[in-house]
Amino acid sequence: MRPVMKHIAALALGLPLWGSAGTAAGEPRTTAAVPAASDLDALLWPAGAAARRVDQRGAALTAVDLRDRIVAVSFVAPDCAIVCVARTLDLERVAQSLPDGLRQSAVFLAIGFDGSPEALRAFADGTVGARSRLRVLSGDPAWSTALARMLRYPATALPEPPPQILLFDRRGAVASNYGGDPVDRPRLAGDIALLDTFAQGLDAPR
């Protein structure tokens, strides 16, 4: 694994390995925050694990579903621009290209900015199909606001979603941050395969 990949990714996010849930680096803490269990938890449940996350099929997503998995996360909106649609298709192609064993170890998520669950489901079905392995999560405005703050994404750019893909290791630590279009699919697939060899995540010996 690239020795500095994790720390470069954290700097690219503008957060010291995400810190406490929903608190950007340098922002004052007004209350004593309970640290999230992992970077991935801080992203998906910035207000706490009680928040319910539901995908385009109406299936709930919990932390248990992501335990010991490599997780790739992108961001979408029902009416996002063509580059967002292309990025979503690229992520789906990576998901489909993985060998069977690795396919079971990887989870692909797209977090929806704005839009009702119905609109996000229509976007998902129209873009990657109803049988896609990509799970598109809908959330409330508070979650979108928290995500934009964590990612240091300007509110003026919304509703166009952040143009990036985040990759998390098997312990939910941020491992890499892919920006730019089109997505470097061979690199992403290769990094997923490499991360899968770190059974305890990047902080533990292989």
Side-chain angles (χ1 to χ4, degrees):
M1 171 60 66
R2 301 173 181 86
V4 296
M5 173 186 282
K6 181 177 180 181
H7 300 287
I8 289 175
L11 290 172
L13 290 173
L15 297 169
L17 296 186
W18 296 72
S20 60
T23 302
E27 287 185 0
R29 290 178 180 155
T30 55
T31 59
V34 177
S38 71
D39 299 336
L40 183 58
D41 288 342
L43 181 78
L44 296 175
W45 294 280
R52 190 166 184 263
R53 302 301 178 216
V54 180
D55 68 15
Q56 73 270 33
R57 302 177 187 90
L61 178 79
T62 69
V64 174
D65 298 324
L66 306 177
R67 187 174 298 161
D68 201 32
R69 302 289 186 90
I70 309 302
V71 181
V73 179
S74 66
F75 305 92
V76 299
D79 56 351
C80 62
I82 187 62
V83 290
C84 168
V85 174
R87 191 180 314 119
T88 303
L89 286 169
D90 281 337
L91 197 60
E92 169 69 7
R93 292 182 182 112
V94 171
Q96 296 296 342
S97 72
L98 299 179
D100 289 342
L102 185 56
R103 195 176 298 172
Q104 300 307 312
S105 299
V107 176
F108 295 83
L109 305 176
I111 297 176
F113 271 69
D114 296 325
S116 66
E118 294 76 16
L120 286 168
R121 181 171 62 249
F123 169 83
D125 290 350
T127 304
V128 294
R131 296 187 178 183
S132 169
R133 295 189 65 247
L134 182 65
R135 299 183 68 176
V136 180
L137 305 177
S138 59
D140 54 35
W143 189 24
S144 294
T145 299
L147 287 171
R149 185 173 63 250
M150 281 191 283
L151 298 170
R152 296 192 181 282
Y153 191 65
T156 54
L158 296 172
E160 187 66 18
Q164 59 196 115
I165 293 175
L166 306 178
L167 189 61
F168 297 84
D169 70 13
R170 290 167 69 167
R171 292 297 174 265
V174 62
S176 196
N177 177 14
Y178 305 84
D181 295 294
V183 175
D184 188 341
R185 300 202 307 265
R187 178 191 166 198
L188 178 56
D191 286 347
I192 290 171
L194 189 56
L195 281 175
D196 192 50
T197 68
F198 287 79
Q200 301 302 318
L202 291 176
D203 288 335
R206 294 180 64 178

